Amino acid sequence: MEQVRGCCPLDCQDSCSWVAHVEDGRVVRVSGAKDHPFTRGALCAKVNDYQTRTYAPDRLLTPLIRTGAKGAGGFREATWDEALGTVAERFTDIVATAGAEALLPHSFVGSMGVVQRRSLLRLFHVLGASRTTGSVCGQAWNALGADGFPLGFDPEEMADARFVLVWGANPLSTSHHTWHFTAEARKRHGARIVCIDPVRTRTAATADEHIAIRPGTDWALAAGMARVLFEEDLADLAYAEQVVADLDAYRAEVAGWTPDRVAEVCGIDAEVVAALAREFAAAEPAVLRAGIGVQQSEVGDAVVRALSALPILAGHWQHRGGGLYAESFPEFREAAAGRPDLIPGTPRKLDLARLGEVLTDEDLDPPVLGLMVWLANPATVQVDAARVRQGLAREELFTVVVEHVMTDTARYADVVLPSTTQLEHLDVQGSWGHHYVSANLPAVPPVGGTRSHGDIARALATRMGLDHPALHESDREIAAAALPAGLDLDHLLDAGWIKRSPARFHLPPDGRRLRLAAGDLPRIQAAPETDRLQLLTPKPHHFLNSTFADAPRHRRAMQQPTVFVHPDDAAARGLEDDTDVEVAAGTNAVRARLAVSDTVVRGVAALPGKWWSADTGGGGINALVPARWSPRGQPAYNDTEVTITAAPRARG
């Protein structure tokens, strides 16, 4: 049996290295690379049978051209020549009549491989198409990083922590390999693990203590902890003054957040606030392991700034294993693979998280007339998803979707191009959770008529008469463009993975100190009296955003869309466990099964997973999420209020 080195492509901090086991020209299983210091031979429940995605019965194996109404899913099979010719003709015509800015590429992190993510961008860059900016899920952390704040360190250092504060993260379901090092800290140093989360997740249940706060009150708790550090002389002021430019202003900003006030707002005991601050400060060192969900509100910018303040005030960045861990990256030049140097002039930038607004904006000049989507399913995963679908349904919009399966977004396409899975192409990738650069070798040839994104980009460039050499480079050349100086592609492909750690944060490297004060303080109050519940859509154990929502094993494990509410909230609404309900916001509603459970705090409705519309009705879960963002562009998924009622009985 042949064994081929590769890596998981999905949008996960772990970026696992794996081995594909090939027998008679077919991948029969994948297994975690045992020699990888981070993967350690284990894959997660999402990808431990990744070969089933390559050979899935609903896999798209030939190009498709729309025959019915947009969104209806009516298509006919086409040859690659016809499909590529259609795309080239329409894109060329749009550029000639409306200008290149009428074209919009839209992609995210359906694959972290640079060939799959960046090769098609080269085409749009050469044309001078509209560019995208922002993030669907992580803009608040991105903006904080752009301000110079450290967002992480080598997660393997966590084994040396003496206290681990997991805040709004569920690594046992979303990035379980970091738990290796958390568990080692507990075993080697007796480190206590405390988890802050409105939901009793797998991680919260495994922690030594679970602090269940009201969602949206994270800033208040962080401010209260900072106040205790200042008031009880627990802050390392000598260190903090070297890092922070406005320490006095921040002290004044948090001064009003006494433990009693925090307790009232967060729904916890005042002593918990003080004890948590004291324990965090006393550990030498402590790590604050923050998640993605804490930022996904209108106050998300302020929340991540307040969380980042705590390890700075306590001086934990001075010690191995201490500091903030939200994101961590190896030395890698991913953006370079897309060749942004090819862009002529300064084309406009459009926020990819506001796709619904962009596609329906009647004042946008020129309007978006040509759209290509890859590695994303915006009709399902974006806020304001109902408006996204409204935009995708525009008859004058020519949409191309590059996909593995017929997603909610692909149903709106004029042309669907079938792409290869990770087992069928060459690629390299970094990580946003560790310091390894990983290689992926093709284990089998492309199944059916599928093509890599690099191959699609080259073919389109030829048909559009674009002769820039960068548009005709091989997948190997595209991959090599992302590697840092001194890292050879052949060496990486042979090794499978290589660690390239950036310098660890201690003090701001350029001498410019950081600013902690948020300025415009979030308005956070005690729980209001309302008949609505706050909707949370946490990442589940078996789906990754909307990926695998079509996969049989994953669907069996998830069973059906399920909304969890506290027993008191269910009783107040006359709802019973294990019954069908309707979850509604405004005029939009979805179907789900009710689970009455004390794993969620009062006032919350938790509906895990980005289920597709066929399972929920309406238009998917995010059809309930309003068009709201933080000041710096973070989509406010968690600022959604819903009503839950018994589902109408089907007519007999």
Side-chain angles (χ1 to χ4, degrees):
M1 182 179 295
E2 183 184 6
Q3 297 186 9
V4 182
R5 283 184 178 272
C7 57
C8 175
L10 299 183
D11 182 15
C12 167
Q13 290 189 299
D14 289 9
S15 291
C16 291
S17 284
W18 68 28
V19 176
H21 302 262
V22 183
E23 190 173 89
D24 298 327
R26 186 181 177 91
V27 178
V28 295
R29 68 185 179 96
V30 293
S31 60
K34 294 181 180 179
D35 59 345
H36 194 282
F38 196 81
T39 304
R40 297 187 175 192
L43 297 177
C44 73
K46 301 173 181 66
V47 301
N48 59 18
D49 62 348
Y50 184 85
Q51 74 281 359
T52 61
R53 185 163 184 81
T54 299
Y55 304 115
D58 61 339
R59 175 88 186 275
L60 299 176
L61 300 178
T62 189
L64 301 173
I65 293 179
R66 179 170 64 92
T67 57
K70 289 194 173 188
F75 294 91
R76 64 173 176 83
E77 293 187 354
T79 65
W80 273 100
D81 281 342
E82 181 186 10
L84 291 172
T86 299
V87 175
E89 181 180 356
R90 290 295 301 273
F91 278 4
T92 300
D93 182 62
I94 289 169
V95 172
T97 57
E101 287 185 330
L103 295 179
L104 178 66
H106 181 94
S107 67
F108 203 55
V109 202
S111 170
M112 292 179 62
V114 299
V115 177
Q116 297 299 94
R117 285 194 76 188
R118 303 291 180 174
S119 55
L120 284 163
L121 277 177
R122 294 185 174 199
L123 181 70
F124 290 94
H125 286 165
V126 166
L127 291 170
S130 292
R131 304 178 65 187
T132 55
T133 186
S135 171
V136 170
C137 64
Q139 182 60 15
W141 283 122
N142 292 348
L144 192 70
D147 289 344
F149 282 75
L151 302 183
F153 55 85
D154 184 347
E156 294 171 57
E157 291 185 19
M158 286 188 199
D160 289 320
R162 269 59 173 182
F163 181 71
V164 181
L165 180 57
V166 183
W167 200 314
N170 182 19
L172 280 177
S173 284
T174 62
S175 55
H176 73 91
H177 293 82
T178 58
W179 197 260
H180 294 320
F181 309 107
T182 303
E184 284 184 27
R186 176 188 263 169
K187 180 178 179 180
R188 287 160 50 178
H189 306 297
R192 238 170 59 87
I193 303 169
V194 176
C195 183
I196 299 172
D197 203 302
V199 180
R200 190 165 69 246
T201 62
R202 289 171 180 256
T203 302
T206 307
D208 298 296
E209 181 180 357
H210 174 210
I211 301 174
I213 66 172
R214 285 182 49 237
T217 64
D218 305 84
W219 185 89
L221 179 54
M225 289 176 63
R227 181 188 186 278
V228 172
L229 297 184
F230 284 124
E231 294 299 313
E232 298 188 7
D233 295 324
L234 301 176
D236 187 339
L237 296 180
Y239 172 71
E241 286 173 351
Q242 297 180 73
V243 178
V244 179
D246 61 345
L247 200 58
D248 290 341
Y250 190 63
R251 183 170 191 157
E253 188 169 277
V254 302
W257 287 91
T258 64
D260 286 337
R261 183 183 178 191
V262 173
E264 180 184 8
V265 167
C266 296
I268 58 178
D269 293 335
E271 183 51 36
V272 169
V273 181
L276 180 61
R278 293 166 188 152
E279 189 171 15
F280 182 78
E284 237 183 72
V287 56
L288 195 162
R289 202 289 191 223
I292 294 298
V294 294
Q295 67 189 315
Q296 294 182 346
S297 72
E298 288 188 278
V299 300
D301 303 337
V303 169
V304 298
R305 191 173 294 266
L307 294 186
S308 71
L310 294 173
I312 293 172
L313 295 176
H316 293 313
W317 281 107
Q318 300 170 94
H319 309 290
R320 176 181 170 85
L324 170 73
Y325 177 87
E327 301 176 357
S328 192
F329 305 88
E331 290 183 338
F332 197 55
R333 301 172 58 247
E334 178 179 322
R339 295 293 303 273
D341 58 297
L342 302 176
I343 300 172
T346 55
R348 67 184 178 188
K349 292 183 179 180
L350 301 173
D351 190 338
L352 67 86
R354 295 176 181 257
L355 183 62
E357 287 188 0
V358 168
L359 295 182
T360 58
D361 184 355
E362 295 182 356
D363 296 323
L364 190 65
D365 185 23
V368 174
L369 298 175
L371 174 71
M372 178 177 275
V373 180
W374 68 96
L375 305 180
N377 185 14
T380 298
V381 304
Q382 290 219 334
V383 295
D384 201 19
R387 196 182 322 190
V388 172
R389 295 179 187 228
Q390 178 187 344
L392 292 172
R394 286 170 43 214
E395 194 59 39
E396 71 275 17
L397 175 67
F398 178 71
T399 301
V400 182
V401 174
V402 185
E403 255 299 352
H404 298 151
V405 294
M406 184 57 66
T407 62
D408 283 342
T409 303
R411 294 173 66 87
Y412 287 88
D414 293 281
V415 176
V416 181
L417 303 178
S419 66
T420 48
T421 68
Q422 190 78 338
L423 297 176
E424 302 160 280
H425 55 239
L426 179 143
D427 220 326
V428 299
Q429 65 190 51
S431 169
W432 58 284
H434 59 61
H435 290 172
Y436 295 90
V437 179
S438 303
N440 186 76
L441 292 168
V444 292
V447 175
T450 60
R451 295 188 179 187
S452 79
H453 293 187
D455 192 15
I456 294 171
R458 288 185 290 272
L460 274 176
T462 297
R463 282 163 175 79
M464 294 180 71
L466 302 172
D467 57 3
H468 193 289
L471 300 183
H472 300 278
E473 288 186 347
S474 67
D475 287 0
R476 283 179 58 92
E477 290 172 306
I478 297 169
L483 301 183
L487 182 52
D488 176 73
L489 178 62
D490 287 328
H491 179 45
L492 176 62
L493 295 177
D494 183 61
W497 48 268
I498 292 176
K499 191 172 188 179
R500 292 293 297 259
S501 293
R504 196 187 200 281
F505 178 84
H506 175 58
L507 297 173
D510 56 5
R512 290 181 295 179
R513 292 181 296 167
L514 309 176
R515 307 193 73 85
L516 295 181
D520 186 13
L521 295 183
R523 295 178 177 86
I524 303 175
Q525 300 175 339
E529 292 294 330
T530 176
D531 64 343
R532 296 184 296 275
L533 300 174
Q534 187 168 350
L535 179 68
L536 301 180
T537 54
K539 296 180 184 295
H541 197 67
H542 292 90
F543 295 172
L544 202 161
N545 299 323
S546 70
T547 302
F548 301 122
D550 64 313
R553 177 181 67 81
H554 301 72
R555 289 172 60 83
R556 286 194 299 271
M558 293 288 292
Q559 296 183 356
Q560 60 185 322
T562 302
V563 59
F564 294 80
V565 302
H566 190 275
D568 292 350
D569 290 325
R573 291 159 178 78
L575 301 174
E576 296 183 357
D577 184 49
D578 198 30
T579 56
D580 292 329
V581 294
E582 187 173 83
V583 184
T587 59
N588 298 319
V590 298
R591 301 186 307 267
R593 197 72 171 168
L594 183 70
V596 179
S597 172
D598 63 1
T599 60
V600 297
V601 298
R602 294 176 182 85
V604 165
L607 206 169
K610 297 295 189 290
W611 293 85
W612 297 2
S613 58
D615 293 300
T616 62
I621 305 303
N622 283 349
L624 306 176
V625 180
R628 297 168 69 177
W629 294 267
S630 74
R632 303 188 74 174
Q634 171 59 49
Y637 293 94
N638 294 340
D639 292 349
T640 304
E641 294 184 338
V642 298
T643 58
I644 301 182
T645 55
R649 292 185 179 181
R651 295 178 179 177

